Structures are given as structure tokens and as C-alpha cells.
Amino acid sequence: MLDSPVDQIKARLDILEVLSSYIRLHKAGRNYRALCPFHKEKTPSFMVSPERQIWHCFGCGLGGDIFSFVMQIEGMEFADALRLLAAKAGVLLKKQDPKIQSQRQRLYEICELAAKFFAAQLEKSANGKKALDYLKKRGLALDTIKDWQAGWAPNTREGL
């Protein structure tokens, strides 16, 4: 039995299927070749082995499996590639281990907290209320202000 989600995804997804959704592959004997999407070239040096479920570019030296390809071409971290490929493979991921949480996801959470802080400043601080009155005078509805998460940044370095 396949234990890890990574193994389950690799068992369900074929490298040719995943890579051909990004690049055009051409049969070359037992393997497939393409122009490398990671550097400019005129002669294909990007090879895919369906038997081994790996890819390698002899021009730039990059290579790996479906995870490394998606990470490289999408510019994402492993955890994000795992979620993307799991959805494609129909693999259900269990509750996310905080250690696996990607840096990008943490940044999204930090931005969300900052947006909430600035929105609260707009409603609760004295200067924020002046800014809110100004926005209303300019014709912005309260719903629009909330939908767009408009906020007020206090004029202090330690505000946030």
C-alpha cells in the first residue's frame, strides 16, 4: 500500500500527462524530447523518460520528477506543488502539518492579518475615522470600502 501522498500522486499521474500540459513533447525512441521551458534553445535538449518517470535537460542541467517540474515551471514551493498535483490526481490530503506549510501560504496569512489591522484602524482610530469620512464624501459606499478591504495606516513605524 502507498503510504505517503507523494507516492499516491506519483502512482496516479503519468509524467507525460503532467508535462505535456505545459510543453509540447515529441517521441524520441523510448523517451520524449522538447525544447526546455527553463532556458532558450533552438535544439531540444529536454528529455522525459516515461519508464523512470523523470525529466532532465542536458542544456541547463535541471531535472527531476513531476513535483520538481511543477515547482520550477510554476515558481512554487513543494507544499504548493503537492496541493496542485494532489487535486489533479484526486488524492485527498490530510490536515496540513504546520511544518509543511509553505512560506508563500504564511505570507498570505500575514497579509490577511495586516489587511484586517488596517481595516480596523480605518473604523476605530481618530485619523482613520477622518479618512473613512473622506472616502464616504468621495462617493464610496461602506460595502465597497469593506469589499476592497480599504484601511488606514497610522503614521508610526510600530503601528502594525
Side-chain angles (χ1 to χ4, degrees):
M1 174 159 178
L2 302 173
D3 292 357
S4 77
V6 171
D7 292 335
Q8 292 175 23
I9 292 166
K10 284 183 176 182
R12 291 186 188 185
L13 293 178
D14 181 64
I15 195 166
L16 294 176
E17 177 187 333
V18 174
L19 273 61
S20 65
S21 68
Y22 292 98
I23 59 174
R24 178 177 282 153
L25 298 170
H26 302 282
K27 187 119 173 86
R30 292 170 30 174
N31 297 320
Y32 288 77
R33 69 178 175 204
L35 292 174
C36 181
F38 307 120
H39 74 278
K40 292 186 184 240
E41 63 180 5
K42 294 180 182 178
T43 305
S45 61
F46 185 92
M47 300 298 289
V48 180
S49 170
E51 290 174 13
R52 297 174 62 199
Q53 293 290 298
I54 60 169
W55 61 275
H56 182 79
C57 176
F58 292 93
C60 65
L62 293 175
D65 60 8
I66 56 175
F67 290 97
S68 59
F69 181 84
V70 169
M71 289 167 59
Q72 188 72 29
I73 202 154
E74 294 282 353
M76 56 178 50
E77 295 177 15
F78 177 77
D80 297 321
L82 177 68
R83 279 191 288 280
L84 187 138
L85 291 170
K88 189 176 273 200
V91 172
L92 183 63
L93 297 176
K94 295 191 169 99
K95 185 168 170 103
Q96 188 172 335
D97 181 349
K99 294 175 188 171
I100 299 176
Q101 187 179 28
S102 72
Q103 183 179 8
R104 180 179 293 184
Q105 185 62 35
R106 282 181 281 201
L107 289 174
Y108 286 141
E109 290 171 5
I110 290 168
C111 289
E112 183 65 32
L113 288 172
K116 287 179 182 177
F117 170 79
F118 292 127
Q121 294 301 308
L122 186 66
E123 293 179 13
K124 296 177 180 164
S125 72
N127 285 333
K129 287 180 182 177
K130 290 177 188 176
L132 182 60
D133 290 339
Y134 172 78
L135 293 173
K136 288 177 185 176
K137 286 178 188 172
R138 294 293 309 254
L140 289 169
L142 197 54
D143 287 342
T144 303
I145 294 168
K146 287 186 179 193
D147 287 345
W148 284 91
Q149 296 180 326
W152 171 259
N155 189 18
T156 173
R157 179 175 272 201
E158 296 81 24
L160 179 61

